[in-house]
Amino acid sequence: MISFIGRSVIQKIITLFFVSIVSFLIIHIAPGKPSQVDPMNPKFTPEVVERFRKEFHLDKPLHVQYLYFYKNLFTGETVSWKDNQSVLKKIWERFLNSLPLFIVGTIITWTLSFPIGIRSAIFRGQFYDRSATFLSYLLISIPGFFFAYVLIIFVVNQFHVPVIGMETFGIGDGASLPHIFMDRIWHLLLPSVLGATGGIAVLSRYVRSQMLEVEGQDYIRTARAKGLPPEQVHYKHALRNALLPFVTMFGLILPGLIGGSVIIESIFSWPGMGRMAYEAILARDYPIILTVNFVSAVLVLAGTFISDLLYLIVDPRIRL
Amino acid sequence: MTIRRVLILAPMLLILFLLQSYFWVPTYEEQTKGNPERLNEYIAGSIGDASLLNPILTADSASSSIENMVFEGLIDRDEQLHFRGRLATSWEVLEEAFFYINKNASIPGLAKADPQDVANFLRKATKKKNTTAPGLKISLDHITSISVIPARNYSVTRQIKGTDTGEQKKYIKISIAAPARIKLVLNRVDQDLFQNLSLFLGKDYFASFHGENYLSTDPVLKKERSAKYAGELLPATEHNPFLMFNLRPGVKFHDGHLFDAYDVKFTYESIMNPKNLSPRIADYEPVKSVTVIDPLTVKIVYKRLYSPAIGTWSMGILPEHLLNHNALKKEARLLGKDPNTFSMRQSSFNRHPIGCGPFRFQEWKSDQYIILDRFDGYWEGPPNYKKYVFRVIPDRLTQEMEFYAGTIDSYDVQPHQVKRLEKDQRFQSFSGTAFGYTYIGYNIRRKPFDDPRVRRALGMAIDMNKIIKYVLYDQGERITGPFVKQTDYYNHNIKPVPYDPKGALALLEAAGWKRNKEGWLTKDGNKFQFTLITNNGNDLRKAILAIAQDAWKQIGIDVHTDLLEWSVFIQERVNKADFDALILGWQMGIEPDLYQIWHSSQTNPYQLNFVSFKNKEADDLIIKIRQEYDHDRQVEYCHRLHEIIAIEQPYTFLYVGKWTAVLDKRIVMKTVDDAGQIMYEKIKPTKTGNYSFYFNKWIKLPEAPVFMDEG
């Protein structure tokens, strides 16, 4: 067990090192320059551009830039080129904004997928199953932004309430605490439902197929033959065994924490991680891009690590 | 079965809980009509957030729009685009000119050229009633005083980078034995002064002064090198135009501190401070010195003639007391940072700016909003709106929805949306000529684009009016040259290149291009073919690309087209001048300074005259326009330059776009006259298309007013 953890940590650190090199290279080799070094603005004389390059260490060879960047990152001194704010502070702020969206979206996805998927499996091939399948594929294939627009237009025109932003604009003045809280919940509703639709569609399919696989096992037949009520067979014998693969998936959703969703966040004016990262890419704000990249790499690796551990705990058959 | 019940109940409860929040949310109605305070705030929607709120550190439009509210410059431009005083009440543009006494040159009618004699000689000439040359007479008339600066010896040390040896630095000691100098003070700026004086001091008086004879270097340098230093340290003649600003007394910053000349000096020094990395440094590089004469008078001396410099003083003035060396040191210590490396860029001031503009900064939530409150102590009287809110909504469709709902007052409206909103009774819409144009540029280095007839013919083959009608939905107009169409500098006598494919063919034939059997144009057996490129992601340019390709094909030119990603387009093609023809656009400023885009010295790689336009007369005019401080003469030069460019056709000027804006009809201008009578007026854009020029007078009324002139 301990040797497994040790080996795994070392492997992951090595992977992380290579990820940091590759992502650094990709960003620096990709065409385009930071907007501060934009050569098409007549106001930027070569001297100014040169000075910015120096300030940003862009005049140094790539490996020196790499060392500078990661030294600053680990000492917490990295600042965004756009506004000189500390990158870690910025990411933390955005992370807190994206977090509720992520949590509510995940809860919706996971609580809805299971009942839908299980029911589909139980009534396999019947009307309910077919319509659920149809709906899932429909939701997977509709582009998120289109669905978002349709929903926004519908809600705004029908109910005349604001849906964009983290809260109703200007609500802070004089509203009571429950009002502010509920207002925030309302503003979470649409974006998190939209973020969850794809997830529900995919996850409920997984649940269905897992359930079907388990339901075909011998021990289920035995359980049925014993004369157990079908409910007990489905929910106790089958479901427990079908759950195993989802434990792994739960670890893998961790990176979603930092990824955020560019499209949903832009459409809903949500000041989250995804939007910040996207704008940073457009402006070639390397410190932000690289830090987000690094943190998400860490989260991906941590996620796989956690799911390995979870598997170990949940499935007694696995021993390391 | 409990598991089943939980599985079904949990999502239902969750969804119910989420949905019930609907009953707690204020509706749009409550936010707008139900909220009387809403009439006192102006909410502007924006796609992007500001970066830093410090006018000397930023150049992006989102930040500038806030900075213009919070900060105030010395001057700005009025409706007619003339300068008007803001923090300055008045200003004068004067000049000090210098020249060295040239011992070797002989002055006609003066035997011994002693400095005092030369000065007296000039003094006498200024008093003379009639002189033979009229230009000289004018120049002499503007001289208000003449004095002699005695000869002096001094030395300076210069550092040069070893060009071959990499980073190695060398120091050079230069000893200068400067001869006496004559100082002339002029009551206006006169770029022809020395040219006119040479009519009278002798043709070669200035030209035959060789500065390198008066300096010695240690170690001894090559001739060219020391001549370069001589040109810099001992120029034969020197123009030092200067600005005298009289500042407005009693103006306060938002924190109550009085504004004075030291703030102006501080703002200049902050821009020039290399630690601050100001993107505006190029505008202020020609400044020689900023001197505080008294707390309400500041003198700005320039190293050379540079007329666009006046406009740079519309830059917002920073409060010295909050950002000077000591204040920054204190802040660094408070934050636990190294005071020696801490610069204005890191200061928290950039997120809590204090200026002396009409609105004071209140709150900034990144990527959400910026709130400004009206500044009651504003010197021109406080604005009507109590609040200015800058709301970041990155999506255009949701912006439009919020606008319809009345929770934002303005947004980045698109041409097709204006068409729709124009007919709506609730809104008023504005539109006018924009400041940027789109063009097809030809690489003049390459054949056959080196022939102006060919370039003109290519322009004649394209039907611009159709492009404006069908591609731009009439949201554009024709343009014939590189000046802002609304200014005097633009020469309206120049007719746009007509649509005339037959004429184009005739011109091409004159240039030696004939159609062969298949209909392709050929010359000396070579087919007329080239590649037209533009950047990806701009639908208008993409459409023009196809239209131009088709139009040229019709007169027998084989055109290939290519769309490139922006950074590849710029770095690989434009910067390296590796293209035949391209479609691109320029944003223009009001100043008619065309040096970077049109001067022949700017044709190297990475410079902006990438089409390689070279014309001797145009070069002279560009320099003259830069050096001329008199508006009428500047206009005259610009008109001529415009004419040359129209004849040469280095670009096919396609169109200038239109800006558009939509506002709620209830927003009007409110003025109170001396008798306390309130008057409402309709918002009208100024001549240059600035509809928010009188923003401080705007207010939103509960009901849309009916104006008399509307009937």
Side-chain angles (χ1 to χ4, degrees):
Chain A
M1 177 82 172
I2 289 172
S3 78
F4 163 73
I5 294 178
R7 240 181 309 134
S8 179
V9 167
I10 291 169
Q11 275 173 2
K12 276 169 184 156
I13 287 175
I14 295 171
T15 319
L16 198 62
F17 174 67
F18 281 108
V19 167
S20 74
I21 291 182
V22 171
S23 59
F24 189 86
L25 282 180
I26 287 178
I27 280 166
H28 280 264
I29 293 171
K33 288 179 181 172
S35 50
Q36 286 83 358
V37 208
D38 182 0
M40 282 309 279
N41 185 343
K43 290 269 180 225
F44 279 70
T45 57
E47 293 82 51
V48 180
V49 170
E50 204 38 54
R51 210 169 273 159
F52 268 108
R53 284 169 59 87
K54 213 169 198 155
E55 172 76 15
F56 295 162
H57 305 303
L58 286 171
D59 53 341
K60 300 266 181 353
L62 272 182
H63 63 275
V64 181
Q65 288 187 42
Y66 176 86
L67 291 179
Y68 265 120
F69 174 74
Y70 283 98
K71 192 190 114 206
N72 284 344
L73 181 63
F74 291 121
T75 49
E77 278 170 11
T78 331
V79 289
S80 159
W81 289 346
K82 182 188 167 201
D83 53 11
N84 264 82
Q85 296 274 302
S86 158
V87 169
L88 294 177
K89 201 180 119 208
K90 273 182 91 156
I91 290 182
W92 179 246
E93 272 172 24
R94 297 317 173 90
F95 170 73
L96 290 183
N97 290 343
S98 282
L99 192 63
L101 208 56
F102 173 77
I103 291 176
V104 175
T106 312
I107 293 177
I108 294 177
T109 313
W110 287 72
T111 51
L112 276 172
S113 305
F114 278 90
I116 293 172
I118 293 167
R119 212 178 139 82
S120 273
I122 295 173
F123 299 103
R124 182 188 181 184
Q126 294 179 16
F127 176 73
Y128 172 83
D129 181 33
R130 284 174 182 218
S131 45
T133 308
F134 174 75
L135 221 70
S136 308
Y137 282 114
L138 189 76
L139 286 179
I140 294 172
S141 38
I142 292 181
F145 74 93
F146 175 75
F147 199 31
Y149 283 143
V150 172
L151 258 182
I152 291 178
I153 292 173
F154 171 73
V155 173
V156 169
N157 287 341
Q158 285 303 311
F159 304 106
H160 306 287
V161 286
V163 290
I164 65 158
M166 290 219 297
E167 56 186 17
T168 300
F169 187 74
I171 187 149
D173 332 328
S176 69
L177 214 61
H179 266 100
I180 293 176
F181 178 72
M182 283 304 174
D183 183 70
R184 288 218 163 201
I185 298 287
W186 169 253
H187 283 262
L188 269 172
L189 177 64
L190 278 194
S192 52
V193 163
L194 274 167
T197 46
I200 295 171
V202 176
L203 198 64
S204 63
R205 297 274 85 202
Y206 276 131
V207 173
R208 178 179 176 273
S209 61
Q210 275 303 319
M211 278 295 280
L212 284 177
E213 203 186 310
V214 175
E215 296 254 351
Q217 299 285 336
D218 289 344
Y219 56 86
I220 299 291
R221 205 183 316 139
T222 315
R224 269 190 236 248
K226 275 198 299 189
L228 286 177
E231 242 178 41
Q232 204 170 349
V233 176
H234 292 313
Y235 289 96
K236 202 159 187 179
H237 292 73
L239 182 62
R240 281 209 172 172
N241 286 295
L243 276 178
L244 278 179
F246 297 101
V247 173
T248 2
M249 281 184 73
F250 208 80
L252 292 177
I253 59 172
L254 203 62
L257 263 175
I258 192 151
S261 162
V262 178
I263 295 168
I264 300 282
E265 282 174 4
S266 298
I267 292 178
F268 284 93
S269 306
W270 198 276
M273 286 289 311
R275 220 173 105 198
M276 180 182 70
Y278 177 65
E279 276 161 21
I281 291 171
L282 289 188
R284 303 288 195 278
D285 194 346
Y286 296 162
I288 298 242
I289 306 172
L290 285 170
T291 311
V292 171
N293 209 315
F294 188 77
V295 176
S296 49
V298 170
L299 285 180
V300 169
L301 294 175
T304 50
F305 184 63
I306 290 173
S307 61
D308 284 352
L309 286 183
L310 278 178
Y311 218 80
L312 217 83
I313 295 161
V314 179
D315 194 341
R317 285 169 298 183
I318 296 175
R319 283 282 161 266
L320 292 158
Chain B
M1 193 77 200
T2 40
I3 297 181
R4 190 180 163 207
R5 262 180 236 137
V6 169
L7 276 178
I8 293 170
L9 272 178
M12 284 176 76
L13 286 177
L14 174 73
I15 288 171
L16 274 178
F17 173 73
L18 289 175
L19 285 177
Q20 61 82 38
S21 63
Y22 165 70
F23 299 102
W24 300 75
V25 183
T27 59
Y28 278 129
E29 193 71 13
E30 286 169 75
Q31 283 182 72
T32 53
K33 291 221 173 64
N35 177 10
E37 271 306 297
R38 178 68 185 83
L39 297 177
N40 290 321
E41 49 192 45
Y42 183 84
I43 306 178
S46 163
I47 297 276
D49 198 6
S51 54
L52 294 172
L53 295 183
N54 186 329
I56 75 152
L57 299 181
T58 55
D60 59 303
S61 62
S63 306
S64 308
S65 68
I66 302 288
E67 283 154 13
N68 289 342
M69 298 280 177
V70 175
F71 293 93
E72 183 112 74
L74 294 182
I75 51 172
D76 72 353
R77 289 179 190 266
D78 65 11
E79 302 120 291
Q80 300 302 319
L81 290 181
H82 300 134
F83 291 118
R84 81 180 162 157
R86 305 310 288 164
L87 291 182
T89 48
S90 62
W91 63 96
E92 279 176 296
V93 188
L94 309 167
E95 182 181 342
E96 285 169 354
F98 302 90
F99 66 89
Y100 282 106
I101 296 293
N102 187 352
K103 273 186 282 186
N104 306 325
S106 60
I107 296 170
L110 196 71
K112 198 170 64 91
D114 194 56
Q116 274 308 333
D117 295 339
V118 178
N120 288 333
F121 185 61
L122 275 171
R123 276 190 201 110
K124 220 184 277 167
T126 56
K127 291 196 184 89
K128 244 194 245 168
K129 282 280 175 293
N130 51 341
T131 327
T132 40
L136 173 62
K137 176 74 189 138
I138 295 168
S139 283
L140 287 174
D141 280 350
H142 288 286
I143 297 176
T144 53
S145 93
I146 297 167
S147 52
V148 177
I149 301 172
R152 68 188 185 112
N153 296 321
Y154 62 102
S155 62
V156 290
T157 312
R158 283 294 153 100
Q159 186 190 63
I160 52 163
K161 262 192 208 143
T163 41
D164 313 318
T165 46
E167 292 286 288
Q168 202 189 345
K169 284 169 183 167
K170 273 204 288 185
Y171 291 92
I172 297 171
K173 197 174 166 223
I174 307 170
S175 313
I176 301 144
R181 218 176 179 198
I182 303 281
K183 176 184 175 184
L184 308 169
V185 180
L186 281 69
N187 61 9
R188 64 151 206 182
V189 182
D190 183 5
Q191 64 166 312
D192 301 326
L193 175 73
F194 294 113
Q195 206 185 322
N196 286 331
L197 283 185
S198 65
L199 294 176
F200 151 86
L201 290 175
K203 214 169 78 194
D204 294 328
Y205 191 84
F206 303 117
S208 64
F209 177 82
H210 294 293
E212 58 266 37
N213 300 339
Y214 300 92
L215 55 84
S216 57
T217 56
D218 177 35
V220 178
L221 294 171
K222 282 195 199 122
K223 190 121 183 128
E224 310 91 75
R225 208 122 272 130
S226 63
K228 204 183 128 236
Y229 283 121
E232 190 188 313
L233 295 165
L234 287 168
T237 61
E238 192 176 344
H239 286 281
N240 278 172
F242 65 94
L243 291 164
M244 287 288 260
F245 282 111
N246 299 311
L247 305 179
R248 199 174 291 280
V251 175
K252 280 181 179 158
F253 282 104
H254 299 153
D255 62 351
H257 196 274
L258 266 181
F259 155 80
D260 62 27
Y262 292 98
D263 295 310
V264 179
K265 189 174 160 69
F266 174 74
T267 305
Y268 162 72
E269 282 165 354
S270 306
I271 294 168
M272 296 311 287
N273 185 346
K275 256 166 86 181
N276 293 339
L277 286 169
S278 170
R280 297 181 187 263
I281 204 163
D283 284 342
Y284 296 86
E285 180 274 324
V287 174
K288 189 176 187 181
S289 68
V290 175
T291 324
V292 176
I293 307 284
D294 64 57
L296 289 177
T297 317
V298 61
K299 178 181 176 184
I300 296 146
V301 184
Y302 286 86
K303 292 176 201 160
R304 55 175 185 270
L305 296 171
Y306 184 65
S307 63
I310 303 174
T312 62
W313 293 100
S314 57
M315 150 74 64
I317 299 297
L318 297 174
E320 189 209 352
H321 64 286
L322 295 173
L323 286 167
N324 60 20
H325 192 62
N326 291 334
L328 287 180
K329 254 194 173 157
K330 216 165 110 191
E331 193 185 337
R333 263 188 232 114
L334 218 68
L335 295 171
K337 293 202 174 136
D338 180 9
N340 295 319
T341 55
F342 193 81
S343 77
M344 199 186 283
R345 271 198 169 255
Q346 276 113 43
S347 170
S348 65
F349 178 87
N350 303 329
R351 288 188 74 86
H352 304 91
I354 286 175
C356 34
F359 286 89
R360 63 194 296 173
F361 176 83
Q362 197 59 37
E363 193 188 0
W364 181 4
K365 278 222 165 147
S366 290
D367 270 347
Q368 296 187 60
Y369 56 79
I370 298 173
I371 296 180
L372 309 177
D373 277 353
R374 146 169 107 189
F375 176 45
D376 289 316
Y378 185 54
W379 62 268
E380 210 181 20
N384 288 335
Y385 275 122
K386 275 190 193 151
K387 255 186 189 170
Y388 176 88
V389 184
F390 178 86
R391 242 185 109 180
V392 183
I393 303 175
D395 185 80
R396 291 187 197 279
L397 188 111
T398 42
Q399 268 195 346
E400 191 177 353
M401 303 211 49
E402 292 289 302
F403 179 72
Y404 273 122
T407 49
I408 56 175
D409 290 312
S410 69
Y411 73 111
D412 302 314
V413 61
Q414 299 296 298
H416 66 276
Q417 293 170 330
V418 178
K419 272 259 179 289
R420 191 158 69 217
L421 293 167
E422 257 170 8
K423 292 172 196 102
D424 199 315
Q425 280 303 306
R426 288 175 296 168
F427 307 118
Q428 48 185 334
S429 65
F430 309 93
S431 145
T433 315
F435 278 42
Y437 62 89
T438 302
Y439 61 88
I440 300 178
Y442 305 102
N443 193 344
I444 300 173
R445 297 175 195 87
R446 295 190 180 173
K447 276 188 188 311
F449 302 116
D450 54 342
D451 188 336
R453 288 174 297 187
V454 172
R455 301 193 294 260
R456 171 168 289 270
L458 289 170
M460 282 160 78
I462 298 172
D463 190 350
M464 247 343 280
N465 293 327
K466 272 202 181 134
I467 292 184
I468 289 172
K469 196 163 169 200
Y470 298 112
V471 178
L472 299 172
Y473 298 100
D474 281 327
Q475 297 299 313
E477 43 187 281
R478 302 222 48 181
I479 188 163
T480 58
F483 296 102
V484 178
K485 221 176 160 180
Q486 304 94 304
T487 59
D488 308 340
Y489 307 119
Y490 188 89
N491 189 344
H492 285 275
N493 294 327
I494 291 164
K495 294 275 165 293
V497 177
Y499 172 60
D500 180 8
K502 282 212 185 81
L505 277 171
L507 263 178
L508 285 167
E509 195 161 345
W513 293 95
K514 292 200 179 66
R515 290 187 101 152
N516 66 6
K517 265 178 258 153
E518 287 111 49
W520 299 115
L521 282 170
T522 51
K523 180 181 178 180
D524 310 329
N526 294 324
K527 207 159 115 183
F528 194 158
Q529 55 183 4
F530 64 91
T531 310
L532 177 66
I533 58 171
T534 192
N535 63 300
N536 216 340
N538 186 322
D539 291 337
L540 292 179
R541 286 183 201 160
K542 200 170 140 192
I544 293 167
L545 196 75
I547 292 168
Q549 184 187 25
D550 181 60
W552 289 334
K553 209 159 243 171
Q554 302 212 353
I555 60 167
I557 302 170
D558 187 13
V559 183
H560 301 273
T561 58
D562 205 357
L563 284 169
L564 300 156
E565 198 263 325
W566 175 254
S567 43
V568 178
F569 176 62
I570 296 301
Q571 281 178 25
E572 298 298 320
R573 299 307 204 88
V574 176
N575 281 345
K576 296 182 178 159
D578 179 20
F579 63 92
D580 297 324
L582 51 72
I583 305 176
L584 205 59
W586 282 122
Q587 275 298 319
M588 293 176 283
I590 293 166
E591 288 294 342
D593 182 18
L594 299 184
Y595 188 78
Q596 279 166 308
I597 302 177
W598 296 96
H599 196 269
S600 63
S601 67
Q602 305 292 308
T603 54
N604 301 318
Y606 294 95
Q607 288 180 324
L608 299 179
N609 187 354
F610 40 75
V611 298
S612 188
F613 172 70
K614 287 179 184 166
N615 181 300
K616 186 85 192 30
E617 194 187 347
D619 280 357
D620 286 349
L621 283 167
I622 288 168
I623 300 288
K624 271 189 173 163
I625 292 167
R626 253 199 163 181
Q627 298 189 342
E628 185 55 64
Y629 283 68
D630 182 68
H631 181 76
D632 293 336
R633 284 167 74 179
Q634 230 180 4
V635 167
E636 191 185 304
Y637 298 145
C638 287
H639 282 190
R640 176 66 194 136
L641 180 59
H642 190 159
E643 218 173 290
I644 294 170
I645 289 174
I647 291 167
E648 287 283 326
Q649 290 285 317
Y651 289 175
T652 291
F653 289 90
L654 295 174
Y655 65 87
V656 50
K658 276 189 179 170
W659 59 266
T660 40
V662 178
L663 283 179
D664 193 311
K665 253 208 177 120
R666 294 179 294 160
I667 298 178
V668 295
M669 264 167 58
K670 176 182 153 187
T671 41
V672 183
D673 66 9
D674 298 335
Q677 191 87 25
I678 297 173
M679 282 183 310
Y680 294 109
E681 271 175 272
K682 211 176 145 132
I683 294 168
K684 284 199 184 79
T686 60
K687 182 183 146 199
T688 52
N690 182 3
Y691 74 104
S692 59
F693 184 78
Y694 291 109
F695 180 79
N696 293 350
K697 292 185 181 157
W698 286 13
I699 195 72
K700 196 173 194 173
L701 300 175
E703 294 297 330
V706 180
F707 292 103
M708 296 308 275
D709 57 346
E710 277 183 294

